[in-house]
Amino acid sequence: MSPWSSVPAALRASHLTFYGDAGTAWDAAAPALAARFTEEWRLAPDGPTTHGGVAWILPVRRSDGTPATLKLQPLDAETAGEPTALRAWAGDGAVRLLEHDPDTGAMLLERLDDRSLADVPDDVTATEVIAELLAHLHRHPAPDGLRRLDDVLASLLERADAARGTLRDAEGNDLLDRCAAVGRELAGDAAGETLLHWDLHCANVLASREPERGSWLAIDPKPLVGDPGYELLAPLHNRWDDLVRGGAAREGAVRDGAPGGERGGSRGRLERRVLHRFDVLRAGEGLDRGRAAAWTCVRVLENLVWEAGATDSTWSSAPDRVIARVLLPLVG
């Protein structure tokens, strides 16, 4: 059976979790979509498919032999803006968009190297790359038509109110309340006009095939328009095991009297490493420490609200809770 004849089982399971029956219906229709755009865009299959949590990735070659990637995924609030952001970046710091079908969301993308930042042994080096890449992407003006962080925050605070007291433990409920209080403070100000990637972790940064465009390029944005501090949680809790072990991380000095510097034991060391990674990320574009911490705590709130409504009891927000404990004292 051709690998293009059905969506991989793991992706079908993910779609069932996130989209329910609509995800199952999408999976049934996806092979026909692949056949349709292979014909319309004059593509030839070029190897086995892969996938993330949402997208089905099909390697292809164009009619001139150029390698490319056909990306198919359900359309929702997070995925619908991807082609708009990729057009705005136009290959500068991000993968190039070659074709797009607005009705289905199908995209033809340039094919990048298979190596990602997850393959870089030193997690601090990987974090520095993400910090530089975020600063580069944020220089591009935000186009019209994308979701706005102001609206996301308003909806999140409503859901946080409904989720109060529903987590399985006292610490989680306390952090949800404290992060929601930070969000309510931020809701009084405009959330900003920066074009955000929103999901720039190590697996979403691939090696470039064109050195003149830089060594690394971003893929798979879930774009928003808002404050760049909202970007930091994904790379902050990425490669969490490296922070827990200490591993290759070069622990930096604790600055500005931040928490964790005087604490002993493994918990104190972990908090210092979290704080160092946070400072590397925010320093990439000179973000105010308190404001970046506040928006990161709002992003933690989003995950806590999701956890409150999740039926999968194996999912854990443990990394985000550590991050919130470290950053809440920095919020002015």
Short mmCIF file of all heavy atoms in Angstrom, two decimals, residues 237-291:
data_model
loop_
_atom_site.label_atom_id
_atom_site.label_comp_id
_atom_site.label_asym_id
_atom_site.label_seq_id
_atom_site.Cartn_x
_atom_site.Cartn_y
_atom_site.Cartn_z
N HIS A 237 10.51 26.05 27.61
CA HIS A 237 10.33 24.70 28.16
C HIS A 237 10.74 23.60 27.19
O HIS A 237 10.64 22.42 27.51
CB HIS A 237 8.89 24.50 28.66
CG HIS A 237 7.84 24.47 27.60
ND1 HIS A 237 6.50 24.60 27.89
CD2 HIS A 237 7.89 24.34 26.26
CE1 HIS A 237 5.79 24.54 26.80
NE2 HIS A 237 6.61 24.37 25.80
N ASN A 238 11.22 23.97 26.00
CA ASN A 238 11.73 23.01 25.03
C ASN A 238 13.02 22.38 25.56
O ASN A 238 13.78 23.01 26.29
CB ASN A 238 12.00 23.73 23.71
CG ASN A 238 12.26 22.79 22.56
OD1 ASN A 238 13.09 23.06 21.72
ND2 ASN A 238 11.55 21.69 22.50
N ARG A 239 13.27 21.11 25.21
CA ARG A 239 14.46 20.39 25.67
C ARG A 239 14.58 20.48 27.20
O ARG A 239 15.65 20.76 27.74
CB ARG A 239 15.71 20.92 24.96
CG ARG A 239 15.70 20.63 23.47
CD ARG A 239 16.91 21.14 22.73
NE ARG A 239 18.15 20.55 23.21
CZ ARG A 239 19.27 20.51 22.47
NH1 ARG A 239 19.27 20.99 21.23
NH2 ARG A 239 20.37 19.99 22.97
N TRP A 240 13.47 20.22 27.86
CA TRP A 240 13.42 20.37 29.31
C TRP A 240 14.40 19.43 30.01
O TRP A 240 15.01 19.79 31.03
CB TRP A 240 11.99 20.12 29.79
CG TRP A 240 11.80 20.41 31.24
CD1 TRP A 240 11.61 19.50 32.24
CD2 TRP A 240 11.75 21.69 31.87
NE1 TRP A 240 11.45 20.14 33.45
CE2 TRP A 240 11.53 21.49 33.24
CE3 TRP A 240 11.87 22.99 31.38
CZ2 TRP A 240 11.43 22.54 34.15
CZ3 TRP A 240 11.77 24.05 32.28
CH2 TRP A 240 11.57 23.82 33.66
N ASP A 241 14.59 18.26 29.47
CA ASP A 241 15.50 17.30 30.10
C ASP A 241 16.91 17.86 30.18
O ASP A 241 17.66 17.54 31.12
CB ASP A 241 15.51 15.98 29.34
CG ASP A 241 14.23 15.18 29.55
OD1 ASP A 241 13.47 15.53 30.48
OD2 ASP A 241 13.99 14.22 28.78
N ASP A 242 17.32 18.68 29.20
CA ASP A 242 18.64 19.29 29.25
C ASP A 242 18.76 20.22 30.45
O ASP A 242 19.82 20.31 31.08
CB ASP A 242 18.92 20.07 27.96
CG ASP A 242 19.21 19.16 26.78
OD1 ASP A 242 19.82 18.10 26.99
OD2 ASP A 242 18.81 19.50 25.66
N LEU A 243 17.69 20.95 30.75
CA LEU A 243 17.72 21.83 31.91
C LEU A 243 17.74 21.03 33.21
O LEU A 243 18.46 21.37 34.15
CB LEU A 243 16.50 22.76 31.91
CG LEU A 243 16.51 23.92 30.92
CD1 LEU A 243 15.26 24.76 31.08
CD2 LEU A 243 17.74 24.79 31.10
N VAL A 244 16.97 19.97 33.26
CA VAL A 244 16.91 19.16 34.48
C VAL A 244 18.26 18.51 34.77
O VAL A 244 18.73 18.50 35.91
CB VAL A 244 15.81 18.08 34.35
CG1 VAL A 244 15.86 17.11 35.52
CG2 VAL A 244 14.43 18.74 34.28
N ARG A 245 18.91 18.00 33.72
CA ARG A 245 20.20 17.33 33.90
C ARG A 245 21.34 18.31 34.11
O ARG A 245 22.37 17.96 34.65
CB ARG A 245 20.51 16.45 32.69
CG ARG A 245 19.66 15.20 32.56
CD ARG A 245 20.25 14.28 31.51
NE ARG A 245 20.36 14.94 30.23
CZ ARG A 245 19.45 14.86 29.26
NH1 ARG A 245 18.36 14.14 29.45
NH2 ARG A 245 19.61 15.49 28.12
N GLY A 246 21.18 19.53 33.59
CA GLY A 246 22.30 20.45 33.57
C GLY A 246 23.11 20.25 32.32
O GLY A 246 23.55 21.21 31.71
N GLY A 247 23.31 19.00 31.90
CA GLY A 247 23.88 18.60 30.63
C GLY A 247 24.88 19.58 30.05
O GLY A 247 25.83 20.00 30.69
N ALA A 248 24.61 19.96 28.80
CA ALA A 248 25.53 20.84 28.09
C ALA A 248 25.28 22.30 28.41
O ALA A 248 26.03 23.17 27.97
CB ALA A 248 25.39 20.62 26.58
N ALA A 249 24.24 22.60 29.16
CA ALA A 249 23.89 24.00 29.43
C ALA A 249 25.00 24.68 30.20
O ALA A 249 25.49 24.18 31.20
CB ALA A 249 22.58 24.06 30.21
N ARG A 250 25.39 25.83 29.73
CA ARG A 250 26.39 26.63 30.41
C ARG A 250 25.64 27.62 31.30
O ARG A 250 25.11 28.62 30.84
CB ARG A 250 27.26 27.36 29.40
CG ARG A 250 28.00 26.42 28.47
CD ARG A 250 28.96 27.18 27.56
NE ARG A 250 28.26 28.14 26.72
CZ ARG A 250 27.67 27.85 25.58
NH1 ARG A 250 27.66 26.59 25.16
NH2 ARG A 250 27.10 28.78 24.87
N GLU A 251 25.59 27.32 32.58
CA GLU A 251 24.77 28.09 33.51
C GLU A 251 25.33 29.49 33.65
O GLU A 251 26.50 29.70 33.97
CB GLU A 251 24.74 27.38 34.86
CG GLU A 251 23.67 27.88 35.79
CD GLU A 251 23.59 27.01 37.02
OE1 GLU A 251 23.60 25.77 36.85
OE2 GLU A 251 23.53 27.55 38.12
N GLY A 252 24.49 30.48 33.40
CA GLY A 252 24.91 31.87 33.46
C GLY A 252 24.67 32.48 34.82
O GLY A 252 24.06 31.90 35.70
N ALA A 253 25.19 33.67 34.99
CA ALA A 253 25.01 34.38 36.25
C ALA A 253 23.55 34.77 36.42
O ALA A 253 22.87 35.10 35.46
CB ALA A 253 25.88 35.63 36.25
N VAL A 254 23.06 34.74 37.65
CA VAL A 254 21.72 35.20 37.96
C VAL A 254 21.79 36.70 38.15
O VAL A 254 22.54 37.21 38.98
CB VAL A 254 21.19 34.51 39.24
CG1 VAL A 254 19.82 35.05 39.59
CG2 VAL A 254 21.14 33.01 39.04
N ARG A 255 21.01 37.40 37.33
CA ARG A 255 21.10 38.85 37.31
C ARG A 255 19.88 39.49 37.95
O ARG A 255 18.84 38.86 38.13
CB ARG A 255 21.24 39.34 35.86
CG ARG A 255 22.49 38.81 35.17
CD ARG A 255 22.67 39.48 33.81
NE ARG A 255 21.68 39.04 32.86
CZ ARG A 255 21.76 37.92 32.17
NH1 ARG A 255 22.76 37.10 32.35
NH2 ARG A 255 20.83 37.58 31.30
N ASP A 256 20.03 40.78 38.27
CA ASP A 256 18.92 41.62 38.72
C ASP A 256 18.28 41.11 40.00
O ASP A 256 17.11 41.37 40.27
CB ASP A 256 17.83 41.72 37.64
CG ASP A 256 18.37 42.32 36.36
OD1 ASP A 256 19.43 42.97 36.42
OD2 ASP A 256 17.74 42.13 35.31
N GLY A 257 19.00 40.36 40.80
CA GLY A 257 18.44 39.88 42.06
C GLY A 257 17.28 38.94 41.89
O GLY A 257 16.38 38.88 42.72
N ALA A 258 17.24 38.17 40.79
CA ALA A 258 16.11 37.30 40.50
C ALA A 258 16.13 36.09 41.42
O ALA A 258 17.15 35.75 42.01
CB ALA A 258 16.17 36.84 39.05
N PRO A 259 14.97 35.42 41.58
CA PRO A 259 14.89 34.30 42.49
C PRO A 259 15.74 33.13 42.02
O PRO A 259 16.02 32.98 40.84
CB PRO A 259 13.40 33.93 42.46
CG PRO A 259 12.95 34.40 41.13
CD PRO A 259 13.72 35.65 40.86
N GLY A 260 16.11 32.29 42.94
CA GLY A 260 16.86 31.09 42.61
C GLY A 260 18.33 31.18 42.93
O GLY A 260 18.99 30.18 43.10
N GLY A 261 18.87 32.39 43.02
CA GLY A 261 20.30 32.54 43.22
C GLY A 261 20.78 32.04 44.56
O GLY A 261 21.90 31.59 44.69
N GLU A 262 19.94 32.12 45.59
CA GLU A 262 20.36 31.72 46.92
C GLU A 262 19.86 30.34 47.31
O GLU A 262 20.16 29.86 48.38
CB GLU A 262 19.85 32.75 47.94
CG GLU A 262 20.38 34.17 47.69
CD GLU A 262 21.90 34.22 47.73
OE1 GLU A 262 22.50 33.52 48.56
OE2 GLU A 262 22.49 34.94 46.90
N ARG A 263 19.07 29.73 46.46
CA ARG A 263 18.50 28.44 46.84
C ARG A 263 19.49 27.33 46.57
O ARG A 263 20.19 27.34 45.57
CB ARG A 263 17.21 28.18 46.06
CG ARG A 263 16.12 29.20 46.34
CD ARG A 263 14.86 28.83 45.62
NE ARG A 263 13.86 29.88 45.78
CZ ARG A 263 12.63 29.82 45.27
NH1 ARG A 263 12.27 28.78 44.58
NH2 ARG A 263 11.78 30.81 45.45
N GLY A 264 19.52 26.36 47.45
CA GLY A 264 20.41 25.23 47.27
C GLY A 264 19.66 24.05 46.69
O GLY A 264 18.46 24.08 46.51
N GLY A 265 20.43 22.98 46.41
CA GLY A 265 19.81 21.75 45.95
C GLY A 265 19.46 21.79 44.49
O GLY A 265 19.64 22.77 43.78
N SER A 266 18.91 20.63 44.00
CA SER A 266 18.62 20.49 42.58
C SER A 266 17.55 21.45 42.10
O SER A 266 17.59 21.94 40.97
CB SER A 266 18.20 19.05 42.28
OG SER A 266 17.05 18.70 43.03
N ARG A 267 16.55 21.74 42.96
CA ARG A 267 15.49 22.66 42.54
C ARG A 267 16.06 24.05 42.29
O ARG A 267 15.71 24.69 41.31
CB ARG A 267 14.39 22.70 43.60
CG ARG A 267 13.30 23.73 43.29
CD ARG A 267 12.09 23.51 44.15
NE ARG A 267 11.15 24.62 44.01
CZ ARG A 267 9.92 24.60 44.50
NH1 ARG A 267 9.48 23.54 45.16
NH2 ARG A 267 9.11 25.62 44.35
N GLY A 268 16.95 24.52 43.18
CA GLY A 268 17.55 25.83 42.97
C GLY A 268 18.38 25.88 41.71
O GLY A 268 18.35 26.87 40.98
N ARG A 269 19.13 24.81 41.42
CA ARG A 269 19.93 24.78 40.20
C ARG A 269 19.05 24.81 38.96
O ARG A 269 19.35 25.51 37.99
CB ARG A 269 20.84 23.55 40.19
CG ARG A 269 21.99 23.62 41.18
CD ARG A 269 23.01 22.53 40.94
NE ARG A 269 22.45 21.20 41.16
CZ ARG A 269 22.43 20.58 42.34
NH1 ARG A 269 22.91 21.19 43.41
NH2 ARG A 269 21.94 19.36 42.45
N LEU A 270 17.95 24.07 38.99
CA LEU A 270 17.03 24.07 37.85
C LEU A 270 16.45 25.46 37.65
O LEU A 270 16.38 25.94 36.51
CB LEU A 270 15.92 23.05 38.08
CG LEU A 270 14.79 23.03 37.05
CD1 LEU A 270 15.35 22.73 35.66
CD2 LEU A 270 13.72 22.00 37.42
N GLU A 271 16.05 26.11 38.70
CA GLU A 271 15.47 27.46 38.57
C GLU A 271 16.49 28.44 38.01
O GLU A 271 16.14 29.33 37.22
CB GLU A 271 14.92 27.91 39.92
CG GLU A 271 13.69 27.11 40.34
CD GLU A 271 13.10 27.59 41.65
OE1 GLU A 271 13.73 28.44 42.33
OE2 GLU A 271 12.00 27.10 42.00
N ARG A 272 17.77 28.31 38.41
CA ARG A 272 18.79 29.19 37.85
C ARG A 272 18.96 28.94 36.35
O ARG A 272 19.15 29.87 35.57
CB ARG A 272 20.12 28.99 38.59
CG ARG A 272 20.12 29.56 40.00
CD ARG A 272 21.52 29.65 40.57
NE ARG A 272 22.16 28.34 40.73
CZ ARG A 272 22.03 27.57 41.81
NH1 ARG A 272 21.25 27.96 42.81
NH2 ARG A 272 22.66 26.43 41.88
N ARG A 273 18.91 27.67 35.95
CA ARG A 273 19.03 27.36 34.52
C ARG A 273 17.84 27.89 33.73
O ARG A 273 17.99 28.39 32.61
CB ARG A 273 19.16 25.85 34.32
CG ARG A 273 20.45 25.27 34.89
CD ARG A 273 20.51 23.77 34.69
NE ARG A 273 21.57 23.20 35.50
CZ ARG A 273 21.41 22.24 36.39
NH1 ARG A 273 20.20 21.70 36.58
NH2 ARG A 273 22.43 21.79 37.09
N VAL A 274 16.64 27.78 34.30
CA VAL A 274 15.44 28.34 33.66
C VAL A 274 15.61 29.84 33.47
O VAL A 274 15.34 30.39 32.40
CB VAL A 274 14.18 28.04 34.49
CG1 VAL A 274 12.99 28.85 34.00
CG2 VAL A 274 13.85 26.55 34.43
N LEU A 275 16.06 30.50 34.52
CA LEU A 275 16.22 31.95 34.46
C LEU A 275 17.28 32.35 33.44
O LEU A 275 17.10 33.32 32.69
CB LEU A 275 16.59 32.49 35.84
CG LEU A 275 16.67 34.01 35.97
CD1 LEU A 275 15.34 34.65 35.60
CD2 LEU A 275 17.09 34.40 37.38
N HIS A 276 18.36 31.58 33.37
CA HIS A 276 19.39 31.88 32.38
C HIS A 276 18.84 31.73 30.97
O HIS A 276 19.07 32.59 30.10
CB HIS A 276 20.59 30.97 32.57
CG HIS A 276 21.68 31.20 31.58
ND1 HIS A 276 22.12 30.24 30.70
CD2 HIS A 276 22.41 32.32 31.28
CE1 HIS A 276 23.07 30.73 29.93
NE2 HIS A 276 23.27 31.99 30.25
N ARG A 277 18.10 30.66 30.71
CA ARG A 277 17.54 30.47 29.38
C ARG A 277 16.56 31.60 29.05
O ARG A 277 16.55 32.12 27.93
CB ARG A 277 16.84 29.11 29.27
CG ARG A 277 16.34 28.81 27.86
CD ARG A 277 15.63 27.47 27.77
NE ARG A 277 16.55 26.34 27.72
CZ ARG A 277 16.16 25.09 27.50
NH1 ARG A 277 14.88 24.81 27.34
NH2 ARG A 277 17.04 24.10 27.46
N PHE A 278 15.74 31.98 30.00
CA PHE A 278 14.81 33.09 29.81
C PHE A 278 15.56 34.37 29.45
O PHE A 278 15.17 35.10 28.52
CB PHE A 278 13.98 33.30 31.09
CG PHE A 278 13.15 34.55 31.11
CD1 PHE A 278 12.00 34.64 30.36
CD2 PHE A 278 13.53 35.63 31.90
CE1 PHE A 278 11.22 35.80 30.38
CE2 PHE A 278 12.77 36.79 31.94
CZ PHE A 278 11.61 36.87 31.17
N ASP A 279 16.67 34.65 30.15
CA ASP A 279 17.43 35.87 29.86
C ASP A 279 18.10 35.81 28.49
O ASP A 279 18.19 36.83 27.81
CB ASP A 279 18.47 36.10 30.95
CG ASP A 279 17.89 36.75 32.20
OD1 ASP A 279 16.92 37.53 32.07
OD2 ASP A 279 18.39 36.48 33.31
N VAL A 280 18.55 34.63 28.08
CA VAL A 280 19.10 34.50 26.73
C VAL A 280 18.04 34.85 25.69
O VAL A 280 18.30 35.57 24.73
CB VAL A 280 19.64 33.07 26.50
CG1 VAL A 280 19.95 32.83 25.03
CG2 VAL A 280 20.89 32.83 27.34
N LEU A 281 16.83 34.35 25.88
CA LEU A 281 15.75 34.57 24.91
C LEU A 281 15.32 36.04 24.86
O LEU A 281 15.17 36.61 23.79
CB LEU A 281 14.55 33.68 25.26
CG LEU A 281 14.76 32.18 25.02
CD1 LEU A 281 13.67 31.38 25.70
CD2 LEU A 281 14.78 31.88 23.52
N ARG A 282 15.13 36.65 26.01
CA ARG A 282 14.64 38.03 26.00
C ARG A 282 15.73 39.00 25.57
O ARG A 282 15.44 40.04 24.96
CB ARG A 282 14.09 38.43 27.37
CG ARG A 282 15.15 38.61 28.43
CD ARG A 282 14.61 39.25 29.70
NE ARG A 282 15.70 39.47 30.64
CZ ARG A 282 16.45 40.55 30.65
NH1 ARG A 282 16.25 41.53 29.79
NH2 ARG A 282 17.43 40.67 31.53
N ALA A 283 17.00 38.66 25.84
CA ALA A 283 18.09 39.55 25.47
C ALA A 283 18.30 39.61 23.97
O ALA A 283 18.90 40.58 23.46
CB ALA A 283 19.39 39.11 26.15
N GLY A 284 17.79 38.62 23.25
CA GLY A 284 17.96 38.60 21.80
C GLY A 284 17.43 39.85 21.14
O GLY A 284 17.96 40.29 20.11
N GLU A 285 16.38 40.45 21.69
CA GLU A 285 15.87 41.71 21.15
C GLU A 285 15.63 42.74 22.24
O GLU A 285 14.83 43.66 22.09
CB GLU A 285 14.61 41.49 20.33
CG GLU A 285 13.52 40.69 20.98
CD GLU A 285 12.44 40.31 19.99
OE1 GLU A 285 11.94 41.17 19.26
OE2 GLU A 285 12.09 39.10 19.94
N GLY A 286 16.31 42.57 23.37
CA GLY A 286 16.27 43.58 24.42
C GLY A 286 14.92 43.76 25.06
O GLY A 286 14.54 44.89 25.41
N LEU A 287 14.18 42.67 25.28
CA LEU A 287 12.86 42.78 25.88
C LEU A 287 12.97 43.15 27.36
O LEU A 287 13.86 42.67 28.07
CB LEU A 287 12.10 41.46 25.74
CG LEU A 287 11.87 40.93 24.33
CD1 LEU A 287 11.06 39.64 24.39
CD2 LEU A 287 11.17 41.96 23.47
N ASP A 288 12.05 43.99 27.81
CA ASP A 288 11.97 44.31 29.23
C ASP A 288 11.73 43.05 30.03
O ASP A 288 10.84 42.25 29.72
CB ASP A 288 10.84 45.31 29.47
CG ASP A 288 10.65 45.63 30.94
OD1 ASP A 288 11.42 46.44 31.47
OD2 ASP A 288 9.73 45.02 31.54
N ARG A 289 12.50 42.87 31.09
CA ARG A 289 12.46 41.62 31.84
C ARG A 289 11.09 41.37 32.48
O ARG A 289 10.53 40.28 32.38
CB ARG A 289 13.54 41.62 32.91
CG ARG A 289 13.99 40.23 33.33
CD ARG A 289 15.02 40.32 34.41
NE ARG A 289 15.85 39.12 34.45
CZ ARG A 289 16.45 38.68 35.55
NH1 ARG A 289 16.30 39.33 36.67
NH2 ARG A 289 17.19 37.61 35.51
N GLY A 290 10.55 42.38 33.14
CA GLY A 290 9.28 42.21 33.81
C GLY A 290 8.13 41.95 32.86
O GLY A 290 7.27 41.09 33.10
N ARG A 291 8.11 42.71 31.75
CA ARG A 291 7.02 42.54 30.79
C ARG A 291 7.12 41.19 30.08
O ARG A 291 6.11 40.51 29.87
CB ARG A 291 7.02 43.68 29.78
CG ARG A 291 5.81 43.66 28.84
CD ARG A 291 5.75 44.93 28.01
NE ARG A 291 4.63 44.88 27.06
CZ ARG A 291 3.38 45.22 27.34
NH1 ARG A 291 3.07 45.63 28.56
NH2 ARG A 291 2.43 45.15 26.42
#
